Amino acid sequence: MEALAHRRWYRARIISYWTVTVLLAFELVDGSVWNLQQIEWVRIQLHHLGYPLYFAYILGAWQIGAAAAILAPRFPLVKEWAYAGSFFQFSGAIASHLLSGDRANVWLVPLVYATFVVMSWALRPADRRVANAGLAPETGPLAWAVPIGILLSLYVVAYL
């Protein structure tokens, strides 16, 4: 009985993984094509958000790479970077629209795709994950003092 429940859970997980992953990859490929062609909607959005037009070429190139990395078998570390980049892109779009004063109907779509990124990442099968390298050694509070001090010093220098 327990084995049957485990098998059903595994099947539901795989179906959910591939559903959100294909939707995510479609959005990345579609967005890549739109950005690389700089369709009118992309130009209007970039202008509205205050980004230069060449930003579309940068996004378009990275989006197609992320879609390929997420869909391809193996290369789990590259997948981690693709998921991170995709999350940065969609969360950056959300922040850009919110800071520009756009209403929910505009930033809700990137929020849905950011959720798909998280779901795809969390549901991915073991063969698409980075192998567990073990726990990092414990570091005490004093070990954090030097990097934080350097960071604060650099921030003060940059501000001046």
Side-chain angles (χ1 to χ4, degrees):
M1 185 69 150
E2 190 175 312
L4 181 61
H6 179 69
R7 217 176 340 195
R8 284 185 181 163
W9 165 248
Y10 180 76
R11 179 176 287 164
R13 182 178 175 158
I14 293 300
I15 290 170
S16 299
Y17 164 76
W18 280 109
T19 301
V20 296
T21 301
V22 167
L23 290 170
L24 170 63
F26 175 76
E27 173 59 23
L28 289 169
V29 170
D30 192 40
S32 174
V33 170
W34 285 18
N35 281 321
L36 292 175
Q37 290 183 347
Q38 287 195 358
I39 65 170
E40 182 181 1
W41 185 85
V42 169
R43 290 192 312 270
I44 290 170
Q45 289 298 315
L46 288 174
H47 178 72
H48 166 69
L49 296 172
Y51 292 112
L53 284 179
Y54 66 81
F55 189 59
Y57 292 122
I58 297 168
L59 281 179
W62 284 110
Q63 285 173 314
I64 194 67
I70 289 171
L71 290 175
R74 295 187 297 217
F75 308 110
L77 190 58
V78 176
K79 286 183 192 315
E80 292 288 326
W81 282 96
Y83 279 119
S86 298
F87 185 78
F88 294 154
Q89 174 194 338
F90 292 120
S91 62
I94 295 165
S96 295
H97 286 294
L98 283 172
L99 294 170
S100 293
D102 291 336
R103 294 177 184 231
N105 64 334
V106 177
W107 56 262
L108 195 59
V109 173
L111 179 63
V112 168
Y113 285 108
T115 305
F116 285 176
V117 172
V118 172
M119 289 174 64
S120 177
W121 177 84
L123 293 172
R124 70 198 189 287
D127 64 337
R128 292 177 169 266
R129 296 174 182 257
V130 175
N132 188 359
L135 295 174
E138 289 291 322
T139 56
L142 190 56
W144 284 94
V146 172
I148 291 173
I150 292 172
L151 184 64
L152 290 174
S153 299
L154 291 173
Y155 190 81
V156 168
V157 170
Y159 185 72
L160 297 175

